[in-house]
Amino acid sequence: MPDPATPCGADNRKEILVRVKGLKKHFPILRGLIWQRQVGAVKAVDDVSFDIRRGETLGVVGESGCGKSTTGRAILQLQRPSAGKIFLGDQELTALGEPELRKLRPRMQMIFQDSYDSLNPRQSVGQIIAEPMVIHGDQNRTLSRQHMRNRVAELLDLVGLNPNHISRFSHEFSGGQRQRINIARALSLNPEFIVCDEPISALDVSIQAQVVNLFKDLQRRLGLTYLFIAHDLSMVQHISDRVAVMYLGRIMELADRDELFDAPLHPYTQCLMSAVPIPDPKKERNRRRITLTGEVPSPAHPPRGCVFHTRCPLAEDICSDKTPAYREILPDHFAACHFADDKGGSRIQEP
Ligand code: SF4
């Protein structure tokens, strides 16, 4: 059986830039005021494996609390994983100490969701964008003030902002412009890989498309690789090459974007896809929405067997007993469902 972290398919000859193998991030639950002891763990990410190829965008979708952001932070080692291995190129990030990781930081950056909280209101735009160069300058080369100023102006221009606004403060910009400042800061060290953690969800709808198009344009021009975390399926469909669907800390399905949206194999993905509006009034009128019942279980007490079985319309006895393997059902199309390969995928029937 092929290794889920090494998918095969048309595109697999592309170089793999990021490799995630068996990633787990569990947060301990502690009890006791003075002598604290661990009484459990929140399994935010539980045994996740995937690759990201150089120059592609891997979209990650799922409900709030499914572990999307924790996965992104764990890949960048902003939160150290509880188990598993993460590689950037041929470097195993999980085996490195802080000094070695610091040397690799310029190659991997993050763009945060909240463009207000992630910018220091006391710093000018120039200082914000130059800060990574100041911090990492000694390990690359000591940059002159003029060189840094030129680089900041170049980055502002690259993200569609006026280079003459270098001395302004972040509160003088709109939400979309502030996110562009965040993007410029992330680009300042010429990274190869960027984790975009819901970078558009706090923006007005009219601005979202502009920022997504900026991401695509920068990728084309600079050869960037993205892990794009979002809950807006239409945006993920627009920007991603492949898409991973997460539920309760696990990947339920991972496939090429078009294949996943056209013919999802996993019942959870089918439910999510049924919520995507269709830009054709006739088809949209006939769109059947599959509504999931019940609450998402707590990641501190995930259900036995398939974690989705408490809400799955297709669940059978085996589902509450046995955890389905995350496996390759079709070339380069992975799913974790006992019945995903039955007749080309489990199908939720019309009521
Ligand atoms: Fe549903 Fe069972 Fe498949 Fe889980 S394994 S998604 S519960 S049919």
Side-chain angles (χ1 to χ4, degrees):
M1 181 178 297
D3 180 354
T6 315
C8 64
D11 255 347
N12 73 336
R13 277 159 299 180
K14 275 193 189 173
E15 178 194 345
I16 289 168
L17 180 63
V18 178
R19 173 163 293 175
V20 177
K21 283 189 160 194
L23 173 66
K24 293 185 183 184
K25 180 63 191 172
H26 296 178
F27 295 97
I29 303 171
L30 303 172
R31 285 270 162 77
L33 279 178
I34 300 169
W35 304 109
Q36 292 202 316
R37 64 195 167 87
Q38 186 174 342
V39 294
V42 173
K43 296 178 178 173
V45 179
D46 205 19
D47 201 7
V48 158
S49 299
F50 58 87
D51 293 334
I52 309 176
R53 298 159 192 160
R54 189 180 286 281
E56 82 164 348
T57 300
L58 177 69
V60 182
V61 294
E63 291 164 281
S64 296
C66 69
K68 309 183 293 285
S69 298
T70 309
T71 301
R73 286 166 186 267
I75 291 174
L76 297 188
Q77 304 296 296
L78 299 177
Q79 288 176 329
R80 288 290 201 161
S82 311
K85 291 182 177 180
I86 294 162
F87 296 85
L88 179 71
D90 52 9
Q91 291 271 5
E92 187 187 340
L93 303 180
T94 32
L96 299 179
E98 282 308 322
E100 292 88 12
L101 265 180
R102 192 181 148 91
K103 287 184 194 152
L104 282 177
R105 291 260 172 242
R107 294 177 59 190
M108 48 185 190
Q109 294 290 309
M110 185 151 188
I111 295 169
F112 297 93
Q113 173 181 5
D114 194 329
S115 63
Y116 286 82
D117 281 352
S118 53
L119 299 178
N120 186 340
R122 293 167 192 264
Q123 288 184 321
S124 68
V125 168
Q127 288 170 320
I128 289 170
I129 297 174
E131 195 171 28
M133 292 187 266
V134 173
I135 292 170
H136 290 275
D138 54 333
Q139 69 188 40
N140 299 324
R141 59 200 159 106
T142 308
L143 301 167
S144 71
R145 288 180 73 84
Q146 188 54 46
H147 180 100
M148 242 187 267
R149 205 178 161 81
N150 292 345
R151 175 73 178 140
V152 171
E154 183 191 327
L155 286 163
L156 284 172
D157 187 45
L158 188 65
V159 299
L161 292 174
N162 187 340
N164 294 326
H165 294 168
I166 195 166
S167 304
R168 292 194 177 181
F169 288 83
S170 53
H171 68 265
E172 297 176 67
F173 293 87
S174 67
Q177 288 173 324
R178 291 166 70 106
Q179 200 53 296
R180 286 173 192 263
I181 296 169
N182 268 315
I183 295 169
R185 177 174 57 184
L187 294 176
S188 64
L189 295 172
N190 290 317
E192 299 163 78
F193 173 57
I194 302 181
V195 172
C196 310
D197 187 5
E198 307 220 24
I200 52 166
S201 50
L203 304 178
D204 291 344
V205 176
S206 56
I207 306 297
Q208 286 183 353
Q210 290 175 18
V211 176
V212 165
N213 287 338
L214 174 65
F215 275 114
K216 289 185 83 158
D217 183 46
L218 292 171
Q219 184 173 49
R220 212 168 25 242
R221 292 164 70 174
L222 306 175
L224 296 168
T225 304
Y226 296 136
L227 179 77
F228 196 92
I229 299 166
H231 57 253
D232 182 333
L233 291 169
S234 310
M235 281 299 168
V236 169
Q237 185 176 18
H238 181 58
I239 196 171
S240 307
D241 298 297
R242 292 185 302 146
V243 178
V245 178
M246 286 191 74
Y247 181 81
L248 218 60
R250 289 170 178 262
I251 293 185
M252 297 287 107
E253 188 163 0
L254 190 155
D256 170 80
R257 179 235 356 233
D258 294 337
E259 202 171 311
L260 190 99
F261 277 78
D262 291 347
L265 297 180
H266 196 283
Y268 180 58
T269 318
Q270 291 167 26
C271 295
L272 288 185
M273 296 308 157
S274 76
V276 180
I278 304 169
D280 175 337
K282 231 180 189 173
K283 288 186 185 163
E284 174 63 15
R285 258 197 303 279
N286 298 328
R287 178 165 65 97
R288 185 179 63 95
R289 180 90 196 259
I290 306 166
T291 310
L292 283 174
T293 53
E295 295 291 316
V296 181
S298 161
H301 305 285
R304 268 191 67 201
C306 174
V307 288
F308 185 52
H309 85 260
T310 54
R311 304 172 78 200
C312 180
L314 301 179
E316 295 189 15
D317 289 348
I318 187 180
C319 303
S320 53
D321 258 0
K322 201 171 159 208
T323 306
Y326 174 65
R327 62 208 161 98
E328 190 172 29
I329 312 288
L330 297 169
D332 208 16
H333 191 150
F334 297 82
C337 172
H338 291 305
F339 311 110
D341 45 2
D342 289 358
K343 303 182 192 87
S346 315
R347 290 272 148 224
I348 298 175
Q349 300 299 318
E350 304 253 352

